[in-house]
Amino acid sequence: MPALSDSVVIVTGASSGIGEATARHLAKEGATVVLAARREGRLVDLKDAIEADGGTALAVPTDVTDREAVQALAQQTLDAFGRIDVLVNNAGVMPLTMLHNLRTDDWYQTVDVNLTGVLHAIEAVLPTMLEQRAGHVVNVSSVAGRRVYPGGAVYSATKYAVRALSEGMRAELGPSHGIRVTCVEPGAVATELTDAIGDPEVRASMGKVFARLTPLEADRIAESIVYAVSAPASTTVAEVLVLPTDQAR
Ligand code: NDP
């Protein structure tokens, strides 16, 4: 029997990149996957591809900055499948910008998606996991949750916060409630994430940074997430930092 055949997993940010790859890998391991992001067409295409491969998926268009929409995502999951075993809290944006350029809409969008959105998803699944006395939350932070690069002050602030949140969740929810928490910290991964960088000063410097390294395929991060959620219930894979070999820091 596949490792995750009894698991119901919500993946936020499933319409591209790491989230999409994770949903595919989890479905291959037998998990029922609930796909959340804003671009409905992408979610439906992914659901169709997973089902064509013999898997089970549900597409729920969701903006994680909308608290009620995220509550509805959890409710639709429960209505369809009766439980929520894993949340992959992955949706994120990275409109890197130098502080002196005062692109403040970028700052607040980063906080709204990467931190408030992460909290919305935790809020939506936690009552169910507490009731089940079991569950697993995988929060996607970043190497930028350990180091701050120029242009990344606000992005790193959100990713440091996700790492701190993960540590606190693990301490509070693991021993007393049987809920596991994993913080995944990717280095450079080839996805659409950098497309949203609107600050020309950062765009110019990012090109040079990426030319010096070989970004990972999203599948490498998906494999790490499958490893963490496939561990026996008695084992918490607390943190996973995955870097391209040629990424120095
Ligand atoms: P992508 O841009 O490919 O994916 C981001 C996902 O987040 C998309 O599915 C997007 O879907 C979703 N998303 C963005 N805003 C919202 C929103 N308001 N509501 C719901 N979903 C939203 O990038 P990645 O796959 O690289 O990013 C995934 C995670 O990995 C992020 O948290 C990112 O910070 C993190 N990460 C990425 C690294 C990299 O080098 N790529 C390195 C370290 C961490 P849609 O637009 O359809 O809503």
Side-chain angles (χ1 to χ4, degrees):
M1 197 157 73
L4 298 172
S5 54
D6 292 329
S7 297
V8 176
V9 184
I10 296 175
V11 181
T12 69
S15 59
S16 62
I18 293 168
E20 179 183 345
T22 300
R24 284 181 193 276
H25 281 248
L26 289 167
K28 270 219 163 67
E29 294 300 326
T32 294
V33 286
V34 179
L35 313 168
R38 293 166 302 175
R39 287 170 292 178
E40 185 171 6
R42 294 267 198 118
L43 297 181
V44 171
D45 289 349
L46 178 58
K47 170 186 152 65
D48 291 347
I50 287 171
E51 289 181 344
D53 230 20
T56 307
L58 174 69
V60 184
T62 309
D63 184 334
V64 296
T65 67
D66 179 342
R67 191 176 178 188
E68 283 176 17
V70 184
Q71 289 288 331
L73 164 67
Q75 192 56 53
Q76 274 186 254
T77 304
L78 288 172
D79 291 345
F81 306 114
R83 50 188 298 117
I84 302 170
D85 298 296
V86 181
L87 164 67
V88 182
N89 217 346
N90 162 78
V93 294
M94 192 182 71
L96 299 177
T97 182
M98 301 298 284
L99 296 172
H100 62 237
N101 291 330
L102 289 169
R103 293 174 61 97
T104 49
D105 287 350
D106 288 346
W107 303 0
Y108 295 116
Q109 187 208 6
T110 305
V111 173
D112 289 348
V113 178
N114 296 7
L115 184 52
T116 308
V118 161
L119 289 172
H120 285 163
I122 293 165
E123 176 190 12
V125 303
L126 196 51
T128 300
M129 291 185 178
L130 288 168
E131 201 178 312
Q132 292 171 175
R133 292 202 60 79
H136 194 154
V137 177
V138 178
N139 291 324
V140 179
S141 176
S142 169
V143 65
R146 293 168 171 265
R147 290 151 209 169
V148 187
Y149 308 96
V154 177
Y155 180 72
S156 271
T158 64
K159 294 302 187 181
Y160 272 70
V162 168
R163 200 153 66 85
L165 179 65
S166 303
E167 200 176 312
M169 288 173 70
R170 190 164 54 248
E172 288 188 30
L173 300 173
S176 312
H177 301 282
I179 296 170
R180 296 186 286 169
V181 181
T182 300
C183 186
V184 175
E185 299 149 39
V189 184
T191 68
E192 299 169 18
L193 196 68
T194 52
D195 295 356
I197 299 174
D199 183 335
E201 191 178 350
V202 174
R203 283 202 77 82
S205 58
M206 277 301 283
K208 288 181 202 146
V209 170
F210 271 74
R212 285 200 296 269
L213 51 81
T214 319
L216 297 172
E217 289 176 29
D219 290 320
R220 299 294 82 73
I221 309 305
E223 287 159 0
S224 304
I225 293 173
V226 168
Y227 166 71
V229 302
S230 304
S234 57
T235 303
T236 290
V237 178
E239 281 190 80
V240 188
L241 172 64
V242 187
L243 299 171
T245 302
D246 55 11
Q247 182 172 357
R249 59 184 311 279

